[in-house]
Amino acid sequence: MKLEIRALSLRLEQFTLELNVDLQNARTGIFGPSGAGKTSLLESIAGLRKPETARIRLDDCLFEDTEQDYSLPVRLRKIGYVPQDDSLFPHLSVRRNLLYGTDGQSKQNTFSFDHVISFLKIGALLDRDVRSLSRGENQRIVIARALLSAPRLLLLDEPLTALDAGLKETILEQLRSLHDEFGIPMLYVTHDPAEAIESCEEVLMLESGKITARGHPGELLG
Amino acid sequence: MFKFPRSILILAAAFALHNANAAEVNVYAAASLTDVMKEIAANYEKENTDKIVFNFGASSLLARQIAERAPADIFISADEAKMDDLQKAGLIATETRRDLLSNSLVIVVPNDSKLEITSPDALLTKVQKIAIADPRAVPAGIYTKEYLSGLGLWDKLEPKMVPTENVRAALAAVESGDVDAGFVYKTDANISKKVKVAFSVPVEKGPAIRYPVAIVNEAKNKRAAEEFLRYLESDSARKLFEQYGFIVKF
Amino acid sequence: MWLTPAEWQIIGFTLAVCTLSTLVILPFGLAVAWPLARYRWPGKLLVETLVTLPLVLPPVATGMLLLKLFSRRGELGQFLHNQLGIDVVFTWRAVVVAAAVMSFPLLVRSARVGFQSVNQRFEHIARTLGAGDARVFLTVTLPLALRGIVAGVVLAFARAVGEFGATIVVAGNIPGRTTTLSLEIFETVQLGHDTSAYRLLIVSVIIAFGAVWLSEALMKKSALR
């Protein structure tokens, strides 16, 4: 995949987020302290935030070009978004949450429901009440829901916070092999060096809205 | 020490003494008397220190209020039934009761109406909505029902009736054009510039309309009430009543 | 029977009219509540004020404004009478109009709170999953705002049933045609028929209980328990 982010400028509370970068790897990490602008960056790519200026292109699809006054609507960008906080629809069952992104899609564009369910090991949870799920179960279902909508790119915002070490390990495994299994690239935001080293091929260091370094996670963070 | 000019003190004392004798007379009167009574009271207050305070409304409502011990001094009803009720309940000074006025009914239409109503029969076919004061309670409505029942027209006309709170509201309904015609007193039609009389119920053929007046037993200031009652039967009052179209009964 | 046929007619009429008025204001109420909850624009204060007006003005004053508007000589009434042959004043339509206008602010207020309580994150996620504006509104926003909306509907219905001041001005109290429960209770009290008044009062209380019970039942049925 090729994600071009050019001339991005988004004014935040304490500083301005500014980026000019091309991303090519299957698993790219965005690393930085909290408040560095990582979430805002993901939101800009997904189209949930409008930067003052930007030109964003994913492969052959233009997302945003402020100079031409062009902005592709969120629903057409086919980006899977796993936010930091709870995002499962509380008024729908687990099953209906999972299927939300598959409405109106042809069978060819989606991954097999069973495939995704077994990959993330959430088969037993299908008929559970959304409110009764543990954080780990919750996260896996959110990832599955995003996957099932057959996105072109997966954005994960600190997906493993508040999980115990054992669970982290398991899900990290799954995320690492996600690309092999489904062919979807991902942007992985975290402030935990171990996670970054374990799961990403390349890491961008984000501090106060600017990229301060870029390279192999082992070298930068090890 | 602050010195008050003595003249101000004297004036203040005179004013206080003067008003110590001035009373308020609460007159509860039928809605149809609104305009004429206000003018009579204005004249009265020019020659008298007493102040007249009015409560105008449907006689049924006023009678009810007096029954609930509202602070009325004088009651002028638009029909005898309401006065009779209060008399039976011992609420009025019977020796002060007498008939003050009479009135007649008319059918009015909006000024710009093209309808020709030469008799009540015409109402059967020429109109859709007729305003009348609530025939269940308000004298003007009761009189109208009495009259139309006597002609055998009430049952057929009832579906067209739009009952209103009091006779002035019926007048207002005709003025607005939202009804095609209405039954009001002749005196009401005289007041309004926005309606015209289509048909006058001849006094001999119409219901016997009576406005009895009496002093309420629990009146606060009987002296002032009696004075005003006497004034209502004076020549100057008579002139005004007749000017407005009332038939004087004293 | 405990109630006379005339009283049954009045109760039936009142329930029918209030149901109709509530149904009529529902789409408009939501359409107004939604932008008030989510957006800001110049003139928003004016809209808020207009919507709140029937709540603040004395009901009779609102009735007079409606009378002026819908009278055969009024701006709207003229058009309806001359072009469509429809009269509003002194007919059941005026009862519906009065009920609708007086209960509208209550629906908007509750619905607005309902919409505001919906975390926009869910709407965002729905969009990333491919849902367009209409689908987001119907499948995410509305269900999550349901508590506030249902409360608004019940409040509006109850207000409509209790409506008196504006109704008597613009619809009059015409037995069999515009007399509502509230108007009839007033009339019976006026005439001194206290037992009738108490009977109808009990009916009003039953209707109030019914409305609240219905709203609870509806809430249970929705996914949000």
Side-chain angles (χ1 to χ4, degrees):
Chain A
M1 76 120 186
K2 182 150 187 250
L3 178 63
E4 285 173 26
I5 306 175
R6 298 281 162 78
L8 183 133
S9 177
L10 173 64
R11 214 182 346 251
L12 298 173
E13 244 168 79
Q14 317 268 33
F15 51 78
T16 306
L17 177 67
E18 277 168 346
L19 257 88
N20 224 341
V21 72
D22 285 359
L23 303 174
Q24 257 130 237
N25 287 300
R27 289 172 277 121
T28 311
I30 301 181
F31 184 89
S34 48
K38 311 190 294 290
T39 303
S40 304
L41 175 58
L42 291 189
E43 286 176 342
S44 301
I45 298 170
L48 299 173
R49 268 244 206 185
K50 190 121 167 63
E52 279 95 49
T53 68
R55 211 184 75 221
I56 305 176
R57 181 194 294 275
L58 175 63
D59 294 328
D60 52 3
C61 188
L62 183 63
F63 278 2
E64 194 95 36
D65 191 342
T66 48
E67 228 161 276
Q68 317 243 26
D69 220 356
Y70 177 79
S71 183
L72 188 64
V74 174
R75 74 175 194 281
L76 296 174
R77 294 195 188 194
K78 305 217 74 184
I79 297 228
Y81 187 46
V82 177
Q84 230 174 346
D85 305 307
D86 276 341
S87 64
L88 285 183
F89 302 127
H91 63 293
L92 296 178
S93 64
V94 170
R95 193 185 295 267
R96 304 200 94 203
N97 259 283
L98 290 168
L99 292 172
Y100 193 88
T102 63
D103 263 12
Q105 303 242 38
S106 73
K107 276 282 145 77
Q108 280 156 323
N109 284 343
T110 62
F111 303 118
S112 138
F113 185 77
D114 297 324
H115 187 186
V116 173
I117 300 306
S118 64
F119 179 76
L120 283 161
K121 301 192 183 38
I122 51 176
L125 305 172
L126 289 178
D127 295 304
R128 286 271 297 279
D129 183 347
V130 163
R131 271 161 291 210
S132 69
L133 300 168
S134 70
R135 173 124 177 101
E137 291 165 336
N138 196 299
Q139 286 307 82
R140 280 183 284 156
I141 294 170
V142 174
I143 295 168
R145 179 178 68 179
L147 268 183
L148 283 167
S149 66
R152 279 195 277 241
L153 172 66
L154 208 52
L155 303 175
L156 300 135
D157 197 344
E158 315 245 16
L160 304 182
T161 23
L163 292 179
D164 64 59
L167 212 39
K168 273 199 196 187
E169 204 37 65
T170 321
I171 301 188
L172 216 42
E173 242 320 313
Q174 291 168 337
L175 289 175
R176 212 185 17 228
S177 48
L178 208 116
H179 185 255
D180 301 329
E181 195 78 14
F182 296 102
I184 302 183
M186 71 174 87
L187 278 184
Y188 189 111
V189 160
T190 181
H191 64 270
D192 183 335
E195 275 175 44
I197 294 172
E198 276 251 26
S199 59
C200 305
E201 298 161 307
E202 183 186 31
V203 142
L204 267 58
M205 307 275 289
L206 197 64
E207 252 172 284
S208 297
K210 321 273 185 292
I211 297 184
T212 53
R214 181 178 182 169
H216 192 268
E219 291 164 12
L220 286 176
L221 307 168
Chain B
M1 267 278 288
F2 186 58
K3 273 188 164 186
F4 255 119
R6 216 179 300 156
S7 45
I8 291 190
L9 278 171
I10 294 176
L11 264 171
F15 187 70
L17 276 170
H18 189 249
N19 274 3
N21 282 327
E24 251 186 27
V25 184
N26 286 290
V27 178
Y28 282 32
S32 45
L33 293 168
T34 307
D35 301 90
V36 67
M37 288 300 293
K38 280 195 184 157
E39 205 177 323
I40 291 178
N43 287 345
Y44 184 73
E45 284 176 357
K46 281 194 205 127
E47 309 160 11
N48 204 302
T49 54
D50 293 336
K51 200 164 168 341
I52 313 295
V53 177
F54 286 112
N55 180 5
F56 293 112
S59 308
S60 42
L61 180 61
L62 298 174
R64 178 95 196 221
Q65 289 173 342
I66 294 174
E68 303 286 342
R69 302 300 192 275
D73 298 312
I74 295 178
F75 179 42
I76 313 177
S77 173
D79 76 2
E80 296 177 310
K82 307 298 179 289
M83 191 63 86
D84 289 340
D85 290 339
L86 292 182
Q87 185 164 339
K88 266 188 232 138
L91 290 168
I92 55 161
T94 327
E95 70 283 3
T96 62
R97 175 178 174 172
R98 65 210 72 176
D99 282 342
L100 194 64
L101 305 165
S102 181
N103 210 333
S104 61
L105 287 175
V106 295
I107 301 178
V108 288
V109 294
N111 247 340
D112 55 6
S113 168
K114 308 240 177 25
L115 292 175
E116 279 216 21
I117 299 174
T118 49
S119 78
D121 290 50
L123 294 173
L124 285 170
T125 50
K126 292 197 178 166
V127 302
Q128 287 177 315
K129 294 205 188 88
I130 307 167
I132 84 173
D134 191 349
R136 286 184 283 183
V138 182
I142 297 173
Y143 288 135
T144 306
K145 179 172 178 179
E146 198 188 309
Y147 171 59
L148 292 173
S149 299
L151 293 175
L153 292 172
W154 175 256
D155 287 330
K156 294 202 203 79
L157 290 176
E158 198 186 357
K160 300 183 196 249
M161 296 296 182
V162 175
T164 63
E165 264 253 281
N166 55 55
V167 70
R168 283 301 166 91
L171 184 67
V174 179
E175 287 176 340
S176 75
D178 285 306
V179 296
D180 306 297
F183 278 89
V184 297
Y185 293 122
K186 187 185 190 119
T187 51
D188 298 312
N190 286 353
I191 303 281
S192 169
K193 297 192 187 61
K194 298 199 194 140
V195 305
K196 58 184 179 190
V197 175
F199 176 76
S200 281
V201 174
V203 182
E204 333 78 63
K205 302 246 178 69
I209 300 174
R210 294 273 177 275
Y211 287 76
V213 60
I215 293 183
V216 175
N217 254 337
E218 295 185 5
K220 283 209 185 68
N221 198 324
K222 289 241 168 74
R223 192 262 329 147
E226 279 161 11
E227 254 186 72
F228 186 61
L229 186 47
R230 271 200 296 276
Y231 185 76
L232 286 179
E233 293 177 318
S234 68
D235 282 336
S236 54
R238 171 195 293 266
K239 250 204 284 247
L240 275 174
F241 281 130
E242 287 174 342
Q243 211 177 297
Y244 275 77
F246 288 93
I247 302 165
V248 171
K249 283 284 168 197
F250 55 85
Chain C
M1 253 271 86
W2 181 57
L3 292 164
T4 71
E7 286 166 347
W8 278 116
Q9 186 272 331
I10 290 168
I11 295 167
F13 175 70
T14 305
L15 291 175
V17 160
C18 294
T19 305
L20 180 59
S21 75
T22 308
L23 287 174
V24 163
I25 61 172
L26 188 56
F28 295 105
L30 295 182
V32 170
W34 169 246
L36 284 179
R38 281 274 182 266
Y39 303 120
R40 247 194 285 234
W41 67 94
K44 177 173 178 175
L45 191 59
L46 183 64
V47 174
E48 282 172 319
T49 309
L50 280 176
V51 169
T52 313
L53 221 51
L55 212 52
V56 167
L57 283 179
V60 173
T62 307
M64 302 218 56
L65 288 173
L66 290 175
L67 185 61
K68 188 137 201 320
L69 190 63
F70 284 101
S71 159
R72 279 183 190 162
R73 310 231 167 121
E75 292 80 20
L76 253 181
Q78 229 183 91
F79 170 74
L80 291 169
H81 180 74
N82 296 333
Q83 309 289 9
L84 301 173
I86 294 178
D87 274 342
V88 173
V89 175
F90 297 144
T91 71
W92 64 270
R93 298 183 192 91
V95 184
V96 176
V97 168
V101 169
M102 297 305 289
S103 60
F104 187 71
L106 292 175
L107 173 63
V108 172
R109 295 190 140 236
S110 271
R112 178 182 178 169
V113 170
F115 284 134
Q116 276 170 324
S117 75
V118 176
N119 194 329
Q120 286 188 273
R121 190 190 323 131
F122 297 123
E123 293 166 355
H124 288 165
I125 293 291
R127 290 213 173 82
T128 64
L129 292 170
D133 287 341
R135 184 159 176 237
V136 172
F137 186 78
L138 289 172
T139 61
V140 176
T141 315
L142 219 49
L144 289 175
L146 206 58
R147 180 145 270 146
I149 294 174
V150 169
V153 168
V154 171
L155 229 57
F157 180 78
R159 179 65 184 81
V161 172
E163 173 37 39
F164 175 84
T167 311
I168 199 167
V169 169
V170 74
N173 187 3
I174 309 174
R177 275 186 291 144
T178 68
T179 301
T180 61
L181 198 51
S182 303
L183 259 51
E184 182 64 7
I185 292 178
F186 175 72
E187 181 84 19
T188 51
V189 167
Q190 281 259 69
L191 295 174
H193 301 159
D194 287 345
T195 35
S196 296
Y198 283 128
R199 272 209 310 269
L200 296 172
L201 185 73
I202 292 174
V203 173
S204 304
V205 172
I206 293 175
I207 293 179
F209 268 120
V212 173
W213 175 87
L214 187 64
S215 87
E216 289 299 306
L218 283 173
M219 287 313 307
K220 284 204 183 76
K221 266 192 119 191
S222 85
L224 293 166
R225 268 154 256 121

